[in-house]
Amino acid sequence: MAFNSLIFLLFFAGVLLLHALPLRWQARKTNLLLVSYVFYAAWNPPFLLLLWISTLTDWYAAKRIVISTGTKKKLFLVLSILVNLGLLGYFKYGAFLEENFAQFMALLGVEYTLSGSDIILPLGISFYTFQSMSYSIDVYRGKIKPGDSILDFALYVSFFPQLVAGPILRAGYFMQQLVAANRRRAEDFGWGIALIVVGLFEKIVLADGLLAPIVEKIYTLWMHTTFVDAWIATLAVSGQIFFDFNGYSVIAVGLAKCLGFQVPWNFLSPYAATGFSDFWRRWHVTLSAWLRDYLYISLGGNRLGRVRTYVNLALTMLLGGLWHGASWLFVLWGAAHGLLLVIERVLRHLFGAVALFHQPAAKVVLGLLTFLAVTLTWVFFRAYDVDSAVHLLGIMLLPGTDIYVADLLDVFTVLAVVGALLGTHWFMRNREFGSALKSLPWPAIALILAAMLIAILLAPGEERDFIYFEF
């Protein structure tokens, strides 16, 4: 039941009607929990058990943590971490680990027969395990107190607008919204619908309609690509990934707003970043913050000296890359970003006081260099295997001589869309999207939304899942 499907629009219409009934707040929250479970079960009903295991484990662990001391307190935290990471590890990385173990044994001359088990990846497990586990960790650290209502906690874990692909919520942020009945204002509902339209436009028209076919055509024929082909396709990947990821997040914010809830914004003009630290403060903000707060800081952050800081940065990004998928490509992608962050730290240590780097023109140059470097790393994210990734990166850095795969229309489309995206990000760099949208006169907003709706209805191409559903 993807957001960009007709069945979801019908489902959400029913949810809005149900939520508008004059019921007690407890009953309305119960309804939201039940429809969230229906939403998740629409993909694969048995995997609801995993969602319930995470929910019950972290609810129980947090309750025990707060009344325990010493070793016993740590044991309940370990229980929460082991259950969540155990589920994530088995379903997401079980087959990957077994395949690589078999290859390692083959290098030693030992034949290992794969079990042949077909492990299905539960939708959204990477998101809800992180979200649920963060509750136990925050209770252990004393940042929040355990809630009094298991209904509220279960709804926090399974709230359907952001359940399968984020944004990743924090318990202290969302559960306080469940204490008292929210008052949905007509203005919030209207802005929620507007955000849903914007998100669908990004996904259906820009990501799927314009850019995805170009990416697939060129990346499929990677052996025959030229310098121009590889760059056009990978620039298209930059646009496709942003519009797909941000489209989902914007829809999630809009859905929540229609129901009277606030969900954090997840992308803050990341392609206007002036450096890689700045990029990760703007790209998938809730995941970046999660990795910082629960992994990087736990490893020691920047408190243990310069070299250890570099190691912690690299390890955090390496594991962040692996979080995205059980593939060496994602490991290489994370390693590349870790290396870029370390290089940036070293350069800032050496040249950070140079006034030139703080001039407006220098920031634009740094921004373009950051974007190009990030674009190069997307090759690992999108390529079919390591061989094709290495080949494409080689072509991008050392021009080849094969025939062109891309045609002039492809080139024009990608340059126009990605150019407009970069221009928008630089314009919005220090602006908040909602405020910027609200600053427009209503006739202009209505005209823009109408044009987007028409484009959505006329958009060609097949219905595609959101990319983050794979994680």
Side-chain angles (χ1 to χ4, degrees), residues 28-38 151 154-155 158:
R28 290 166 63 197
K29 289 190 293 184
T30 302
N31 288 338
L32 281 178
L33 177 62
L34 292 176
V35 298
S36 294
Y37 288 152
V38 170
L151 169 65
L155 183 54
S158 60

Side-chain angles (χ1 to χ4, degrees), residues 165-167 244-254 263-267 284:
D244 194 285
F245 290 4
N246 188 64
Y248 184 98
S249 298
V250 170
I251 294 171
V253 173
V263 168
W265 207 254
N266 218 14
F267 293 86
H284 204 332

Side-chain angles (χ1 to χ4, degrees), residues 65-305:
I65 285 170
V66 80
I67 62 173
S68 302
T69 58
T71 302
K72 194 173 182 180
K73 183 175 183 177
K74 290 181 180 179
L75 285 175
F76 284 111
L77 175 64
V78 170
L79 170 67
S80 168
I81 293 173
L82 286 180
V83 169
N84 284 287
L85 295 186
L87 291 174
L88 184 61
Y90 174 76
F91 284 98
K92 190 164 185 174
Y93 305 106
F96 175 71
L97 292 173
E98 187 183 23
E99 289 171 5
N100 282 275
F101 177 75
Q103 293 174 8
F104 175 73
M105 296 303 290
L107 291 175
L108 300 178
V110 178
E111 183 177 351
Y112 175 85
T113 303
L114 295 173
S115 63
S117 58
D118 187 14
I119 301 176
I120 301 173
L121 179 64
L123 193 68
I125 191 170
S126 299
F127 290 90
Y128 69 72
T129 51
F130 270 27
Q131 185 164 303
S132 184
M133 183 170 58
S134 69
Y135 173 75
S136 303
I137 298 173
D138 284 348
V139 170
Y140 178 83
R141 291 176 172 176
K143 290 187 174 182
I144 61 172
K145 295 181 179 179
D148 297 322
S149 168
I150 191 171
L151 169 65
D152 288 2
F153 179 68
L155 183 54
Y156 154 71
V157 175
S158 60
F159 187 51
F160 76 89
Q162 51 75 229
L163 171 61
V164 295
I168 300 173
L169 300 177
R170 302 291 180 92
Y173 173 84
F174 187 76
M175 289 178 68
Q176 66 181 1
Q177 299 182 52
L178 301 174
V179 175
N182 55 36
R183 296 183 178 180
R184 289 186 298 163
R185 299 180 301 171
E187 180 185 5
D188 286 337
F189 183 82
W191 285 117
I193 296 296
L195 291 175
I196 293 170
V197 172
V198 171
L200 288 174
F201 176 79
E202 288 189 69
K203 167 63 176 171
I204 295 173
V205 178
L206 300 177
D208 292 352
L210 293 178
L211 299 178
I214 298 172
V215 172
E216 291 170 359
K217 178 172 69 173
I218 299 176
Y219 267 71
T220 300
L221 300 173
W222 59 271
M223 281 293 293
H224 304 287
T225 55
T226 66
F227 174 79
V228 173
D229 291 327
W231 270 105
I232 286 298
T234 308
L235 286 170
V237 170
S238 294
Q240 180 196 8
I241 286 177
F242 172 77
F243 289 128
D244 194 285
F245 290 4
N246 188 64
Y248 184 98
S249 298
V250 170
I251 294 171
V253 173
L255 295 172
K257 194 173 283 291
C258 287
L259 294 168
F261 296 97
Q262 300 298 318
V263 168
W265 207 254
N266 218 14
F267 293 86
L268 304 174
S269 301
Y271 289 152
T274 54
F276 306 108
S277 298
D278 190 27
F279 175 79
W280 282 104
R281 284 190 290 267
R282 295 170 176 275
W283 181 272
H284 204 332
V285 175
T286 56
L287 174 63
S288 299
W290 200 101
L291 292 172
R292 178 197 65 209
D293 294 344
Y294 301 108
L295 183 56
Y296 176 69
I297 290 177
S298 297
L299 290 170
N302 58 1
R303 305 186 304 274
L304 302 176

